[in-house]
Amino acid sequence: MAATERARPSRLLKRLLAQGTSLGVPSDTLRALMMAAAALPNMIPSPARALEVEQAHLNFSHYAEGGRDFVRGPAVDLKRPDALTVDTVRGAARFRIDDRASLSLDFAQDTWSGATPYVTAPLGFTATSTGASLYVNSANNGGIASRVDRRTLQPLDLATGRPATRVVNVMTSASAETRHQGRLTFAREWNEAGLEVNTGLSDEPDFRSLSAGVRFRLDFDRKLTSLTFGATRSSSDIDARLGNTSNYIDYRLYQNATSGPRIVSVPVAGTDVAGLASNDVESLRWQGKREDMSLNLGLTQVLDRSTVLTVGVTYARSEGFLESPHKLVTMAFADPTTPSVFNYLLTPVFSVPEKRPDTRNQISWNMKLARYLRSFDAAVHLDLSHSRDDWGVRAESAEVRWIQNFGRWTFTPRARYYTQTAADFYQPYFLFVQRYPRDGANNLDYSRMPIESWSSDQRLSAFGAYSYGFTLSRQLFDDVRLDIGYERYRHAGNLKWGGGGEQGFGDFHSDAFNIGLNFALGGPAPLTGPIAGDLPAGHDHEGHDGHHGHHGHVGADAPAGVMNAHMLGRAGDFMTTYTYRYERQAGEMTTGSRPAGDAEVLLSCGAPGCPVRPSEMLMHMHMLHLMYAPTDDINLMLMPHLMSMTMNNTALRGGRYTALGGHAHDSMDLSTHTTGGFGDTTVAVMFRLPQIGRTHAHLTLGVSIPTGSVDQAMAHHGGDLMDFGMQLGSGTWDILPSLTVGGAAGRWSWGGQVSAVMRTDARNKSGYSLGDAAELTAWGGWRLNDSFSVSLRGLYKVQGGVRGALRGRNEVVDASGNVSYVHALHSPADLSANTGGRYLDIGIGASMVIPGRERQGDRIALEWLMPVSEKVRGYQLERAGTLAVNWNMSF
């Protein structure tokens, strides 16, 4: 086949390959498919160039679990906890350095919330309290004894003496946790080889990991055969927050450890057993280090003009802290010395942390077959894999995908089956017929345990799983593709191949939805990137000699922190903007324009008191602006966003916690609260106003749809709602008008905007309404050259106070028998009197036109906004600053 034939691109196979990547096909398979297609007439160019096209993607997804077994308790009054959900944003950009080298940046943020199983036990070993959670009836000194049948060893109900063998999950809920991940990759291509070097960071509240990897490829036989070698290594620090000390859980195995993972006590902000505030409340942390490495070898072979085969083998080793810190194990010891007059054996029960082996070695094989079916104008992918490790886990999986092209549409259904055996040290609970090994203080003596390792983590059980789903893709423009995906997953013990799977208590299902955009920044349709998303803000664009111009239009050089500052200038134009926003508050409490001491802040809490006050608040927000111009003078805009927030607290001197509604507590760790998920969604219409000289203007009328949650609650402490600022939305339909003006002359540009937020509801479902707001901002910009500009901005904001109060969850009955629900105060931020104010900020910014996208006017911009003065209502934490980063692309 002539080289010129192989270099001619085909839109079909590019889409097929893009779909393969969006579904998670490893780079080996993608490269193999490209080489296979290169053997077909008029299909794709040589792989070396195809992989170097500049690309970007942004993807939003939502995952939700369901179907877990749940026990309502003897009184049928236990409430099912919220199911686990995960909200995720992922993005990446690849920049070409030259014809053979590129640099890629990937990021991801996911927020987990809801309940997960943390221990399993038979019903006979559990207990409940009215309206509270199910728990394992254990004590760390063996002081609580359950019973098992003397002959059958079946757990017995303490009240009835009947068998109570049903194994159940004990669920726990935690405040939302957010993980941030980033990876930087350098790639270099030669005529017959390729090299990738990457480094990455993963950070979450109890886990931080640094990684590095390298991958080398050699091509043979005119690139019809490729051999790949890869290696990765990561080093992780674990610092898991376990909460306050407990007589229910025996942590002494790790508290007394002299090496390896250790459980230590650290002082935190909270309350002692008397409810008095302190920064020395004892809280437990499980700390340790983990090392992971992997080596892989792969071979890709073009079998014929339509078929590519990839085979690979991977060796992985992990060592160090391999336990899951938030999983417990039920240990029961049936005492054979129980007097024979009883038909049962007394059985002390312990709840203990996991103990896994210190190392894990795993080897896996995989085979991937991809074939293009000319008669169907489609492709089929078949993936098979097998793995085994020295923990006794053997796993197999099979996956099939059909990639069907329909003009500018591509539909990809897929199905997958997975099965595995259990780890050697896994049991849903452990029952030993012996007296429990004890030390001189009658505590469990771990040095004389009958087993060396133990876990009840259902991920190590024997089970099977299947999933099915699809991806629907639409080529919106030559360089923009929309992907929408769905997947249904089911995990069950009875799905294990050959039978012998775990009981039904571990079964569950999940649904995952995602939507995103893939972009080619300078070339044909994108070939890489997951099921993607969208990207940054915008400029006015009007046609100039067939180009997209960006000089001298409204908002062309507006700072990154100004919303709705840009309009498209020609009917049919489309623009996306990705905006990252980071806000930080830290330092002292203020009232009006002056600092406020603890005594004064505490007085504002009134008679109930407050145990803590904010010391730092962090907010991360990822926004996606989608803008389309149906006419030259009207733009339509849609803006969803994902956010996460962390509130750190310090004790108020003299503060206290007042328990309400019977929710008495032991000591409480109130040092940190977190939340996250999708926020409110904005839709808007923008109207261009008549131009006056060099001055342009446009009017924006927007509506904020209350898609963000306003019932984010603390996982413990009575389940009280978090304060107003920690909620993900307003809970009300809000009107968002704004007027933007601007102009330019030579290298100078200027602009201004007045905007407002008007709440339409008196109360949301959580009992309050955020205050109205108004902003006035003005900026000036200087273009250093055709690519770079800087800006200076002033911002004045008036924020109304919250109306109403947080809805209480604590039932209080007065002397007359009247029932009310009261919110227990944790912090002055819980009070509506401590919201609102007037704020003056100044911002400095810079922007850069994206190399290779000068004709479209695409640019990256950032701005740092600093507080100058403020006059706040009540008592509030002082502000530290706001960072905004925009990346806009127009089509």
Side-chain angles (χ1 to χ4, degrees), residues 222-452:
R222 295 177 302 167
K223 298 186 181 292
L224 299 180
T225 303
S226 291
L227 188 64
T228 60
F229 310 87
T232 61
R233 185 173 183 86
S234 65
S235 180
S236 307
D237 291 300
I238 297 94
D239 186 10
R241 179 182 175 186
L242 302 179
N244 304 108
T245 57
S246 170
N247 292 327
Y248 155 64
I249 304 170
D250 189 347
Y251 287 123
R252 288 178 307 103
L253 172 64
Y254 295 100
Q255 288 175 314
N256 298 331
T258 57
S259 62
R262 296 185 60 202
I263 293 178
V264 299
S265 177
V266 297
V268 298
T271 60
D272 60 20
V273 293
L276 298 180
S278 172
N279 280 321
D280 295 313
V281 174
E282 185 179 15
S283 183
L284 300 180
R285 298 288 194 274
W286 196 352
Q287 300 174 343
K289 294 183 177 295
R290 170 175 176 156
E291 300 290 335
D292 295 271
M293 61 85 65
S294 67
L295 302 171
N296 61 76
L297 174 66
L299 175 67
T300 299
Q301 178 65 54
V302 177
L303 300 181
D304 58 35
R305 295 164 61 90
S306 303
T307 310
V308 177
L309 175 68
T310 299
V311 294
V313 59
T314 300
Y315 167 73
R317 176 179 173 82
S318 302
E319 58 184 28
F321 192 159
L322 305 186
E323 289 78 13
S324 178
H326 301 294
K327 302 291 184 183
L328 297 176
V329 177
T330 301
M331 293 279 191
F333 296 86
D335 188 350
T337 66
T338 303
S340 58
V341 66
F342 300 111
N343 62 356
Y344 56 80
L345 300 179
L346 292 174
T347 307
V349 177
F350 298 84
S351 295
V352 303
E354 286 191 330
K355 184 178 184 295
R356 302 184 183 185
D358 294 333
T359 61
R360 184 179 190 180
N361 295 281
Q362 183 182 55
I363 190 166
S364 60
W365 299 266
N366 61 79
M367 181 188 75
K368 306 176 188 296
L369 184 69
R371 183 170 178 80
Y372 172 64
L373 306 175
R374 185 185 303 274
S375 59
F376 293 97
D377 196 16
V380 60
H381 293 187
L382 176 65
D383 300 347
L384 302 173
S385 68
H386 169 82
S387 68
R388 60 179 57 203
D389 62 26
D390 54 4
W391 286 6
V393 179
R394 306 289 184 268
E396 288 81 28
S397 69
E399 181 174 2
V400 62
R401 294 186 298 281
W402 181 276
I403 305 171
Q404 182 65 60
N405 182 64
F406 300 99
R408 298 183 70 85
W409 294 86
T410 302
F411 180 66
T412 305
R414 61 187 181 274
R416 182 176 186 266
Y417 173 74
Y418 174 88
T419 183
Q420 75 170 43
T421 60
D424 297 333
F425 50 88
Y426 168 84
Q427 291 289 339
Y429 67 96
F430 291 81
L431 175 62
F432 307 101
V433 183
Q434 66 171 76
R435 298 188 67 190
Y436 75 88
R438 65 193 73 195
D439 58 20
N442 282 332
N443 294 315
L444 188 62
D445 186 349
Y446 288 96
S447 67
R448 296 191 291 126
M449 290 287 287
I451 54 177
E452 292 185 359

Side-chain angles (χ1 to χ4, degrees), residues 133-144:
S133 304
L134 187 76
Y135 62 92
V136 177
N137 195 22
S138 62
N140 58 20
N141 62 356
I144 298 178

Side-chain angles (χ1 to χ4, degrees), residues 544-595:
H544 293 286
D545 300 321
H547 299 174
H548 287 284
H550 63 275
H551 296 281
H553 297 291
V554 180
D557 291 310
V562 181
M563 305 297 293
N564 305 328
H566 310 282
M567 276 197 72
L568 299 172
R570 188 171 59 184
D573 283 355
F574 174 73
M575 181 171 64
T576 66
T577 298
Y578 165 71
T579 298
Y580 168 73
R581 193 177 184 92
Y582 167 79
E583 294 183 7
R584 181 173 183 261
Q585 293 178 257
E588 300 299 324
M589 299 292 287
T590 62
T591 182
S593 301
R594 62 175 178 80

Side-chain angles (χ1 to χ4, degrees), residues 18-25 56-61 88-92 401 412 414 469-473 481-487 512-519 528-534:
Q19 280 297 309
T21 307
S22 70
L23 291 168
V25 179
H57 72 263
L58 190 68
N59 169 262
F60 290 90
S61 65
T88 303
V89 58
R90 303 180 189 276
R401 294 186 298 281
T412 305
R414 61 187 181 274
F470 67 87
T471 299
L472 181 64
S473 299
R481 188 185 76 235
L482 171 69
D483 294 321
I484 299 174
Y486 167 77
E487 183 174 76
F513 305 87
N514 60 74
I515 183 169
L517 291 176
N518 284 278
F519 305 91
T528 65
I531 303 174
D534 325 47

Side-chain angles (χ1 to χ4, degrees), residues 620-705:
H620 300 270
M621 182 182 295
H622 302 269
M623 293 180 283
L624 174 64
H625 306 239
L626 300 176
M627 189 178 295
Y628 174 71
T631 73
D632 290 349
D633 297 321
I634 295 177
N635 287 185
L636 305 177
M637 187 183 72
L638 172 68
M639 187 178 71
H641 70 273
L642 184 72
M643 61 196 305
S644 66
M645 290 174 286
T646 299
M647 176 74 81
N648 297 316
N649 297 310
T650 187
L652 270 171
R653 289 188 296 273
R656 65 187 182 278
Y657 173 78
T658 302
L660 300 172
H663 285 285
H665 298 279
D666 294 327
S667 59
M668 295 191 299
D669 178 353
L670 298 175
S671 58
T672 302
H673 301 309
T674 58
T675 186
F678 284 101
D680 291 346
T681 301
T682 299
V683 295
V685 181
M686 308 173 78
F687 303 92
R688 190 182 313 278
L689 301 178
Q691 180 175 334
I692 303 176
R694 294 180 177 272
T695 302
H696 303 257
H698 65 266
L699 177 68
T700 302
L701 297 177
V703 175
S704 177
I705 304 171

